[in-house]
Amino acid sequence: LGMCSPERLNQQDVFRSLNFDALLTDPADQVVAIHTFPCGGLRGGEQLRSGSGGEGVHLHQPVPTAQVPVLVWFREVLEKLRETLRRLFTSAWASQEPLSQLLLEFPVSTVALVNQARFTAMVEEALARGEVDSLRERVVCVVDDLRVPLRREFARREQHNLLMPAVVSMLNQSEKMMELAHTQTYAQLWAAWRAYLRHYPTQDQSDPVVVKCGEAEFKYGWWYRGWKPQLVKTDLTHEVFSTTLNATAAHEQLVVAEGPAGTGKTETQKDLWQVELCYPVVVIHCTEAFNHE
């Protein structure tokens, strides 16, 4: 397979928010897969070879590039990639295998989404049965499932490391729900849970996941998130997520985050849209040097 990196296409603006490093082509110049690397790509002149690390996602259909304008075929690649990710999630969600096993078969982004949807189902099942105290034990089982593979080869270990912040967040959320269960009514407990970000599988093959937070509801974006790490979520993180999504759903509200540089304002928003909802994010630094024209 040949390799075509985004840098060779001389269309930097198009690739600014991509989370993969290379396009793989067959002898007929059809794009058949994308590839991402744990350290952000290959160095100049380096060739993609077995053992380079990272992960590849094979498109469910190849995309011809011969005599096709670059932006036309690349737009088609992105659409085929989104459809491929939908299909991969549907297959992984139907499986009952633990996360450590799914990581051997699916992209880490697919496994992360399965983890999010499983946690939503886990909490709501516990709430419906009045068994909130069982949440922590069930989440610990997920943590233990990922702990042993952390000692495996480097590439696999990096995959698990990318999932661990999300799993730690699950553990924190479950403990928070258990604390609330001792002081609040059943209705108040459900209200507290609905303030969190929640992922629900659907029967719609074109949109197999919806994301809810409070009264807001969004379609999952299916933008490839690659190996993007994320910040560990705190109570403030969930408050920011909730405020942002409910303001966005209202269509007429703007969220303004103020504070010193380097405190996580931008990264938290990127985590929300790129990791939790899988949409592309464009960051514009509006300094005095910014040319608004």
Side-chain angles (χ1 to χ4, degrees), residues 26-62:
D26 64 11
D29 283 335
Q30 298 182 112
V31 177
V32 295
I34 61 98
H35 199 94
T36 186
F37 300 93
C39 297
L42 297 176
R43 293 185 175 90
E46 188 177 355
Q47 295 296 313
L48 176 63
R49 57 177 61 90
S50 176
S52 295
E55 69 176 11
V57 178
H58 287 264
L59 305 180
H60 72 283
Q61 288 181 341

Side-chain angles (χ1 to χ4, degrees), residues 142-289:
V142 178
V143 176
D144 288 341
D145 172 51
L146 293 174
R147 183 177 295 150
V148 174
L150 284 174
R151 302 187 182 94
R152 293 179 183 169
E153 66 272 18
F154 178 73
R156 282 295 161 208
R157 189 165 66 248
E158 283 214 348
Q159 283 187 322
H160 288 79
N161 283 337
L162 287 173
L163 273 181
M164 287 309 291
V167 175
V168 170
S169 177
M170 286 170 43
L171 190 59
N172 292 339
Q173 279 182 255
S174 62
E175 290 179 343
K176 186 74 173 181
M177 296 298 293
M178 289 166 59
E179 290 176 11
L180 294 175
H182 297 294
T183 60
Q184 299 192 4
T185 66
Y186 183 75
Q188 289 173 325
L189 200 57
W190 268 103
W193 163 244
R194 290 191 176 113
Y196 285 116
L197 208 64
R198 310 174 322 273
H199 295 74
Y200 296 93
T202 73
Q203 299 300 317
D204 186 351
Q205 294 299 314
S206 61
D207 284 304
V209 174
V210 296
V211 183
K212 299 181 181 181
C213 185
E215 299 302 319
E217 180 175 321
F218 293 83
K219 293 181 179 180
Y220 196 73
W222 301 105
W223 191 259
Y224 179 67
R225 62 172 277 192
W227 284 33
K228 181 187 181 303
Q230 64 181 114
L231 303 173
V232 172
K233 301 186 191 76
T234 65
D235 288 344
L236 180 59
T237 307
H238 293 295
E239 183 179 345
V240 171
F241 285 1
S242 178
T243 300
T244 300
L245 291 179
N246 284 282
T248 303
H251 299 298
E252 297 178 355
Q253 298 187 32
L254 177 69
V255 176
V256 178
E258 296 181 333
T263 54
K265 300 183 300 298
T266 301
E267 290 303 316
T268 297
Q269 289 293 329
K270 288 169 69 175
D271 279 357
L272 171 59
W273 295 103
Q274 284 187 319
V275 176
E276 303 290 346
L277 286 94
C278 279
Y279 283 94
V281 171
V282 177
V283 178
I284 302 173
H285 296 282
C286 298
T287 64
E288 294 180 356

